[in-house]
Amino acid sequence: MRALLVGTGAHVVVCDVAGLGPPGLAAVDLLARLELAARRAGGRIRLRDPGPALRSLLRFVGLRLQVEGEVEEREPALGVEEEVEPGQPAV
């Protein structure tokens, strides 16, 4: 992972997970290790075509990974502006 990120200068590695088959804890472990290695190298992984079962399992174990075509958490969708007035209570 490190060689891939450093060698290419990329910040994101796309992992095609469509062919994983029925997801299990081995797949979760693999994806967690890939994400950890990518973060240590200054990047991230992004999943391509995760099935509903894999998405549910990742949510269940608390592993939040980027998915191609979805807006990243903490980033507003395109065309959405956040506005906060001073003194306004938190929502």
Side-chain angles (χ1 to χ4, degrees):
M1 184 62 67
R2 182 183 234 4
L4 185 61
L5 288 168
V6 173
T8 63
H11 296 288
V12 176
V13 174
V14 177
C15 298
D16 189 347
V17 294
L20 276 180
L25 292 180
V28 170
D29 180 58
L30 172 67
L31 292 172
R33 289 174 184 271
L34 287 173
E35 176 70 2
L36 180 60
R39 284 185 178 230
R40 286 180 175 165
R44 302 279 315 252
I45 67 169
R46 183 176 297 146
L47 303 181
R48 176 181 290 156
D49 296 329
L54 179 58
R55 286 178 183 234
S56 294
L57 186 56
L58 291 172
R59 274 193 304 270
F60 179 73
V61 299
L63 188 58
R64 300 190 195 300
L65 299 175
Q66 293 179 4
V67 175
E68 258 188 350
E70 288 184 357
V71 176
E72 183 182 356
E73 286 186 30
R74 295 168 277 149
E75 287 185 12
L78 294 176
V80 175
E81 294 182 22
E82 294 181 22
E83 189 174 314
V84 178
E85 294 291 327
Q88 209 175 19
V91 182

